Amino acid sequence: MKLKTYLVGLLLSQSVIVSAQTWKPVPGKIASPWAEKVDPAKTLPEYPRPQMARSNNWKNLNGLWSYALTAKDATAPKTYKGKILVPFAIESSLSGVGKTVGKDSLLWYQTTFSVPSNVKNNIILHFGAVDWRSEIYLNGKKVGTHEGGFDPFHFDITAYVKKGGKQELTVSVWDPTDQGPQPRGKQQIKPEGIWYTPVTGIWQTVWIEGVPKTHIVATKQTPNIDTKTLNVSANVEGSQAGDKVRYTAFDGKTKVAEQEVEAGTATELAIANPKLWSTNTPFLYDLKVAILRNGKVIDEVNSYFAMRKSSLGPDKEGTQRMLLNNEFVFQYGPLDQGWWPDGLYTAPTYEAMVFDIIKTKEMGFNMIRKHIKVEPATWYYECDKRGILVWQDMPSGDLGNQWEPNLGTMGGTDKNRTPESEAMYKKEWNKIMDDLHNFPSIVVWTPFNEAWGQFKTKEIAEWTKQKDPSRLVNSASGGNHVVTGDIVDLHHYPDPRMPRPDLFGPTHAVVLGEYGGLGLPVAGHNWLEKNNWGYQSFKTADELFEKYASFLVTIEGQIKKGLSAAVYTQTTDVENETNGLMTYDRKVIKVPAEKLKQITDKLYNKSLVEMK
């Protein structure tokens, strides 16, 4: 028996090695240093849900799957074209395929997996993100359908799992990219200018976990530093009469608060002498949430929270300022699009993903504007740990309305979207906000950018604020401008300008939502060696730095006049844009981080602003 087990294990290991040998990145484009560290046998192996972690009861399904392309109306193929490395989009180099799909085709995936002994009871199949419409089948039976390219989803597959042996998982994906009205960010079938390569299919981790029949599906925690409390609730599946939920908060190993309430009931934890989360001291409390039945724990998850506040308040001139924990902190960060030359939406490794955040902090920035994309949960966790404020954009879609970037000028139009298009936007924005609610680093929601598919602006902004009053709402970054939300946001390239505080400051914070875009192409590190661009291009890093430094002198003066925040374009080059502080492959940091930090730190001088 031992010999048989050994031989089976040997055959499986050899199968993995052979499969790995058949995979290689698609050549022809630049790649990041982490591309060569991608291992098909251990692809993005990290636990994907840090805000709701269970013990060792999960299995990562990333790796080499089979794929095929068929007509849009076709049934599942009988044979598959080849191997694709999940979770890299089929258009990416790291997928090993590098093909465009389009609206007239379906992308099919197939893999087999076994359910390990540690994955017990009800089995949940999770997808971090699949762009766009996916249909899931297990062992030939349809499990469910999901629409949305930026939100995680899951299905209980217990009833579809065969006893013993291999489980066959099949996924079909249809994605019209910019030929449909769905949220799609900056993807375009024909990439050009500020529009990039399509991302079709699975682009975040796929995994299974075992949960009890009665289990925690989600938690929600909202801090209030003024009352020194944390509002907590849990969505419990399969609860019975008399079930309790216990919430326990810890400072390290020290218990600081605990409440036990009926399942389905929200409660508050009193946090005495709270340690506030800030960009300099990003303190995180641990949180355990457990379901109790007759005093016995039947499910438990580990989470965390921070005591922090995002709000507005007037300075001595009466101009509204963006506050962190009731104090003015100038928020300054890069426009961060989260694209990779080898993985497109997906960083090659966890180390690669964290690299951008670390460098952003080292350059002196205290904020990131996550632009027209949503990241994996682990990205926000790293921002939480490292003290980076996040402005979160809603990915755009259904473009076509007129943009008026100038404040106080009529001419911009709301998009007349179909009921179907509106429903797609609202459903996904609602889900994104739910999924990201617990990450304390997020301090601003941005529903629209530069009129891209912008519709019913006042309604959407007010709905966003009503759904989450604990954060600020930047209703339309760069216009079209509507008097709503908490922020008036101007875009201006390349030099920094600001909205007039005398006109907008009494009711809104005034910010510079985009500026800069200083270009410096670096030979051998460009997506395209010709026809790349920046808003203003330079031949040397010294010339670029001199211009950038002059911009910060201007911004320092604007802070005194009422400016609350600014966003510099951008973290890295992206495809044919060469206006990043780093090259697209992350191999060249164009200006040393310490040199940037030295001049950036001046923007945080508290003496620049006197509050009321």
Side-chain angles (χ1 to χ4, degrees):
M1 185 66 183
K2 289 184 178 179
L3 178 60
K4 181 180 179 181
T5 302
Y6 168 77
L7 290 172
V8 170
L10 181 61
L11 287 170
L12 286 173
S13 64
Q14 288 177 337
S15 175
V16 169
I17 292 170
V18 170
S19 294
Q21 289 173 344
T22 64
W23 170 87
K24 62 179 181 180
V26 179
K29 296 289 187 181
I30 57 173
S32 71
W34 300 275
E36 61 187 26
K37 297 182 179 181
V38 173
D39 181 357
K42 199 175 181 182
T43 310
L44 292 170
E46 293 79 12
Y47 187 80
R49 194 182 58 195
Q51 266 286 2
M52 204 180 87
R54 288 186 172 90
S55 56
N56 183 30
N57 62 345
W58 74 290
K59 180 178 182 177
N60 192 316
L61 300 185
N62 292 344
L64 284 169
W65 296 23
S66 299
Y67 86 94
L69 294 172
T70 69
K72 180 184 174 184
D73 57 355
T75 56
K78 297 188 183 300
T79 59
Y80 283 76
K81 178 73 173 177
K83 295 295 183 179
I84 183 170
L85 186 57
V86 170
F88 298 104
I90 188 171
E91 295 89 349
S92 72
S93 169
L94 289 177
S95 72
V97 182
K99 293 182 179 179
T100 301
V101 181
K103 66 178 178 62
D104 297 320
S105 299
L106 283 182
L107 168 60
W108 292 87
Y109 297 86
Q110 189 179 80
T111 190
T112 58
F113 65 92
S114 58
V115 179
S117 59
N118 63 304
V119 178
K120 301 176 181 178
N121 304 316
N122 283 33
I123 302 171
I124 310 297
L125 172 63
H126 293 271
F127 292 84
V130 182
D131 196 356
W132 179 71
R133 179 189 295 147
S134 54
E135 294 188 350
I136 315 301
Y137 303 83
L138 192 67
N139 298 320
K141 296 180 180 179
K142 186 174 180 178
V143 175
T145 301
H146 177 265
E147 292 183 349
F150 300 93
D151 58 308
F153 61 96
H154 64 268
F155 295 104
D156 188 329
I157 59 171
T158 310
Y160 302 88
V161 172
K162 297 186 299 186
K163 290 185 178 180
K166 293 287 187 177
Q167 314 298 324
E168 184 181 82
L169 174 61
T170 305
V171 179
S172 72
V173 180
W174 177 70
D175 180 16
T177 312
D178 58 322
Q179 295 175 310
Q182 82 291 346
R184 45 93 177 178
K186 300 188 78 173
Q187 305 172 51
Q188 189 166 287
I189 286 291
K190 296 181 179 180
E192 60 180 353
I194 63 170
W195 308 102
Y196 315 134
T197 303
V199 173
T200 300
I202 299 168
W203 65 275
Q204 288 187 32
T205 291
V206 185
W207 56 294
I208 57 172
E209 69 169 337
V211 298
K213 187 174 182 180
T214 301
H215 60 274
I216 299 163
V217 177
T219 67
K220 184 177 183 180
Q221 41 252 27
T222 308
N224 187 326
I225 69 168
D226 299 324
T227 60
K228 301 179 181 179
T229 58
L230 179 77
N231 185 279
V232 288
S233 61
N235 178 5
V236 177
E237 176 77 21
S239 63
Q240 298 180 9
D243 285 353
K244 307 281 189 180
V245 178
R246 183 176 65 205
Y247 303 91
T248 311
F250 295 88
D251 176 349
K253 294 183 179 180
T254 304
K255 183 193 298 184
V256 296
E258 186 171 81
Q259 286 287 347
E260 192 175 301
V261 295
E262 295 285 340
T265 304
T267 188
E268 285 187 344
L269 297 179
I271 310 297
N273 303 311
K275 297 179 180 179
L276 301 185
W277 183 97
S278 71
T279 57
N280 294 323
T281 56
F283 183 81
L284 300 175
Y285 289 90
D286 291 323
L287 179 69
K288 287 187 179 292
V289 184
I291 303 174
L292 305 177
R293 181 171 293 160
N294 299 322
K296 181 181 178 182
V297 174
I298 60 173
D299 188 30
E300 184 174 61
V301 298
N302 296 307
S303 186
Y304 66 90
F305 67 94
M307 298 300 289
R308 73 98 185 88
K309 180 181 179 181
S310 177
S311 62
L312 295 180
D315 62 19
K316 70 171 185 176
E317 303 297 330
T319 298
Q320 293 295 322
R321 297 283 189 159
M322 297 175 68
L323 307 182
L324 181 66
N325 301 331
N326 295 323
E327 295 183 357
F328 174 65
V329 175
F330 184 72
Q331 299 187 21
Y332 185 54
L335 192 78
D336 191 305
Q337 310 211 51
W339 283 74
W340 295 84
D342 33 36
L344 300 180
Y345 266 4
T346 311
T349 65
Y350 195 96
E351 180 187 12
M353 179 191 74
V354 177
F355 176 84
D356 282 5
I357 301 172
I358 291 172
K359 287 302 171 186
T360 296
K361 189 88 172 180
E362 289 179 352
M363 291 173 180
F365 298 110
N366 65 1
M367 175 264 280
I368 290 172
R369 181 181 170 199
K370 181 47 62 178
H371 188 46
I372 315 297
K373 185 197 176 192
V374 178
E375 294 288 357
T378 47
W379 186 89
Y380 299 94
Y381 170 58
E382 291 293 336
C383 291
D384 291 345
K385 285 200 310 180
R386 298 173 187 278
I388 290 282
L389 302 167
V390 176
W391 294 15
Q392 180 61 55
D393 287 9
M394 168 61 182
S396 54
D398 203 1
L399 279 59
N401 43 317
Q402 185 176 342
W403 176 38
E404 176 48 71
N406 295 315
L407 288 161
T409 301
M410 296 181 68
T413 59
D414 266 7
K415 172 79 172 182
N416 184 20
R417 297 174 74 152
T418 66
E420 177 190 26
S421 174
E422 288 190 10
M424 288 175 181
Y425 174 99
K426 292 176 180 178
K427 178 183 177 183
E428 193 150 5
W429 187 222
N430 182 67
K431 184 67 163 51
I432 288 168
M433 290 182 66
D434 283 341
D435 294 330
L436 300 183
H437 179 86
N438 290 342
F439 294 105
S441 54
I442 299 174
V443 293
V444 173
W445 298 118
T446 304
F448 298 113
N449 177 78
E450 292 185 353
W452 298 346
Q454 185 174 340
F455 73 103
K456 297 182 178 177
T457 310
K458 187 174 177 63
E459 174 188 320
I460 297 298
E462 291 178 356
W463 176 88
T464 302
K465 187 69 174 183
Q466 183 179 19
K467 181 175 176 66
D468 185 8
S470 73
R471 293 177 169 96
L472 300 179
V473 176
N474 185 5
S475 57
S477 184
N480 293 325
H481 300 284
V482 177
V483 182
T484 187
D486 300 300
I487 294 168
V488 172
D489 178 325
L490 176 70
H491 293 182
H492 193 274
Y493 288 98
D495 56 309
R497 307 267 178 100
M498 64 180 288
R500 282 179 55 179
D502 58 327
L503 296 179
F504 305 104
T507 55
H508 292 72
V510 295
V511 309
L512 176 61
E514 292 182 28
Y515 89 101
L518 302 180
L520 180 64
V522 180
H525 300 276
N526 300 314
W527 184 258
L528 299 174
E529 289 298 346
K530 294 182 179 180
N531 300 320
N532 52 53
W533 67 282
Y535 287 93
Q536 182 179 356
S537 291
F538 298 85
K539 293 183 179 181
T540 70
D542 287 341
E543 291 174 345
L544 186 150
F545 177 75
E546 184 179 357
K547 176 61 72 172
Y548 177 80
S550 73
F551 285 170
L552 264 59
V553 172
T554 300
I555 289 175
E556 188 174 347
Q558 291 171 337
I559 295 170
K560 297 177 182 178
K561 295 176 182 178
L563 190 69
S564 275
V567 177
Y568 178 80
T569 302
Q570 62 185 326
T571 309
T572 70
D573 297 347
V574 183
E575 300 207 348
N576 61 343
E577 297 179 29
T578 56
N579 47 21
L581 293 168
M582 298 184 282
T583 55
Y584 196 18
D585 58 12
R586 276 73 167 177
K587 292 180 179 178
V588 178
I589 299 172
K590 299 178 185 179
V591 177
E594 60 273 15
K595 193 172 181 180
L596 292 170
K597 187 177 188 304
Q598 187 175 9
I599 59 173
T600 301
D601 281 349
K602 297 177 182 179
L603 303 181
Y604 308 128
N605 185 345
K606 291 188 178 296
S607 68
L608 295 177
V609 176
E610 185 177 345
M611 298 302 292
K612 195 168 185 178

